[in-house]
Amino acid sequence: MTGAPLPPGAETVVPVEWTDGGLGEGAVRGMRARSLGPEGATGHVQVYRPAEARAHVRAKGSDVKAGDRALEAGTILGPPQIALLAAIGRGTVRVRPRPRVVVLSTGSELVQPDTELGAGQIYDSNSFALTAAARDAGAIAYRVGAVADDAETLRSTIEDQLVRADLVVTTGGVSVGAYDVVKEALSHVADEDEAGSGIEFRKLAMQPGKPQGFGSIGPDHTPLLALPGNPVSSYVSFELFVRPAIRALMGLQDVHRPTTRATLTADKALTSPKGRRQFLRGTYADGRVIPVGGAGSHLIAALAHADALIVVPEDTESVEPGTEVEVVLLG
Ligand SMILES: Nc1nc2c(c(=O)[nH]1)N[C@H]1C(S)=C(S)[C@@H](COP(=O)(O)OP(=O)(O)OC[C@H]3O[C@@H](n4cnc5c(N)ncnc54)[C@H](O)[C@@H]3O)O[C@H]1N2
Ligand code: MOO
């Protein structure tokens, strides 16, 4: 009977274990099952312990009152939030679905892990990293393994993927080489009738992450971000540009990673290229940050041991140990 309405006139609930259950044989441990019938019932219930008024009674509105806001707009609906919506009788609510993000890596030199490496080949790590990062940001992510350096193949692969994409992320092929195929394939995909459509390629004043492409593609103008191929560059670019885009698509207000100030703990000064904002990898704890590895955009092992990015502003070329720096916490 837990949860049953109070009968008219009743003002408290006495647990059955505090009574004789109507059997006249002393305190009981529980009620007889209804199917066993009222055999032995006396019609009187002996109560052995007093219960205070309103004891064991859950008042209407003690969880959510009529007129209360049950959930703020922008709340991510996890299991408890879905329970709350059902509990207040809301069978449907308007939501922003998790964005579907398609991740493609490009490069004829790339092979799948777990296979034998041939001459001039390396394992594709970016597509795995970025797919995991997209899921971590809240998206539904689809990984498309390495696409060879051929503009037509890349264009048709992307077109095939558009049906399941709210956002497309590519890596590699955005620099200035003859085989920088993303740039070649996507530089002229603008829709003439749509101002602002197409993909633009630019050099940003940052390191890593200098060459970048961004824009929209296909009949639905699906947003596309073309990240550089160097593994650390693609990951840092994801953190700075793709993660906020995914979170904006989810309708969240807080789209950026948190930042803090920390004291640089290092045995020598950090150096940074003039005119580029540098994002070095580091570990952060208790107001201090320690650099991990160097500035090289290929240093995946150092990245795997870092939990923060140390930001060196574009006008700073050297940072002495003990200096306070800005740090992006990778969480
Ligand atoms: N002449 C110039 N060369 C380069 C410049 C420049 O300004 N002038 N910029 C450099 C910078 S900075 C970056 S970043 C890279 C970016 O170039 P791409 O985006 O075209 O990258 P790729 O050439 O495709 O690859 C670079 C590097 O990373 C490896 N890679 C690529 N994809 C993956 C992957 N999925 N998993 C693991 N490793 C990957 C690739 O094999 C190359 O070694 O350009 C510089 N060059
Ligand atoms: O700026 Mo690139 O992104 O160093 O590696």
Side-chain angles (χ1 to χ4, degrees):
M1 296 293 276
T2 301
L6 280 186
E11 59 170 18
T12 191
V13 172
V14 182
V16 67
E17 300 93 314
W18 298 2
T19 76
D20 69 348
L23 301 177
E25 295 166 4
V28 293
R29 298 176 68 171
M31 290 295 281
R32 290 163 66 90
R34 200 166 73 98
S35 58
L36 295 178
E39 208 180 314
T42 62
H44 294 275
V45 176
Q46 194 81 34
V47 176
Y48 300 115
R49 267 175 69 176
E52 285 178 10
R54 309 291 296 167
H56 313 296
V57 175
R58 289 186 176 152
K60 246 187 197 173
S62 60
D63 187 17
V64 184
K65 284 188 194 47
D68 276 358
R69 191 184 301 278
L71 291 171
E72 294 292 334
T75 303
I76 294 183
L77 297 185
Q81 292 74 30
I82 287 170
L84 173 57
L85 291 170
I88 62 172
R90 287 294 296 264
T92 56
V93 280
R94 268 191 348 145
V95 296
R96 288 180 191 240
R98 291 183 182 277
R100 298 160 305 156
V101 177
V102 169
V103 175
L104 289 108
S105 56
T106 67
S108 297
E109 77 282 17
L110 302 174
V111 292
Q112 174 92 359
D114 263 344
T115 53
E116 197 67 27
L117 277 184
Q121 295 184 322
I122 61 165
Y123 293 118
D124 170 15
S125 58
N126 294 355
S127 71
F128 294 95
L130 300 187
T131 306
R135 286 190 186 133
D136 184 66
I140 294 165
Y142 303 110
R143 188 186 72 85
V144 178
V147 182
D149 288 326
D150 174 73
E152 205 33 63
T153 308
L154 178 63
R155 248 192 314 262
S156 66
T157 306
I158 292 176
E159 272 163 23
D160 285 350
Q161 292 296 325
L162 288 179
V163 66
R164 61 169 181 174
D166 298 310
L167 175 68
V168 178
V169 178
T170 66
T171 79
V174 295
S175 190
V176 294
Y179 289 90
D180 282 335
V181 73
V182 173
K183 207 169 178 181
E184 182 189 349
L186 303 183
S187 285
H188 306 288
V189 293
D191 178 344
E192 278 175 14
D193 303 327
E194 285 285 342
S197 75
I199 314 291
E200 219 180 292
F201 290 88
R202 290 206 195 155
K203 286 186 176 156
L204 307 190
M206 60 188 279
Q207 195 225 1
K210 180 171 71 168
Q212 301 279 347
F214 62 94
S216 66
I217 185 165
D220 297 328
H221 304 289
T222 307
L224 182 147
L225 289 157
L227 311 183
N230 278 325
V232 178
S233 313
S234 70
Y235 177 72
V236 169
S237 303
F238 184 97
E239 284 294 336
L240 298 179
F241 307 125
V242 186
R243 195 172 195 278
I246 289 173
R247 295 179 72 77
L249 287 169
M250 288 169 74
L252 298 174
Q253 297 296 320
D254 220 357
V255 297
H256 294 290
R257 291 280 196 194
T259 59
T260 188
R261 311 281 306 171
T263 306
L264 177 67
T265 307
D267 43 23
K268 57 180 185 348
L270 298 181
T271 55
S272 177
K274 189 175 167 53
R276 292 172 78 183
R277 188 180 308 177
Q278 199 179 35
F279 295 88
L280 287 164
R281 279 64 65 197
T283 56
Y284 169 83
D286 304 326
R288 296 178 168 276
V289 68
I290 305 170
V292 193
S297 300
H298 62 297
L299 300 173
I300 306 175
L303 177 65
H305 291 98
D307 61 10
L309 298 174
I310 304 168
V311 186
V312 183
E314 39 278 48
D315 50 5
T316 304
E317 288 174 72
S318 171
V319 187
E320 292 299 324
T323 308
E324 199 179 85
V325 288
E326 187 190 356
V327 166
V328 179
L329 302 173
L330 297 173

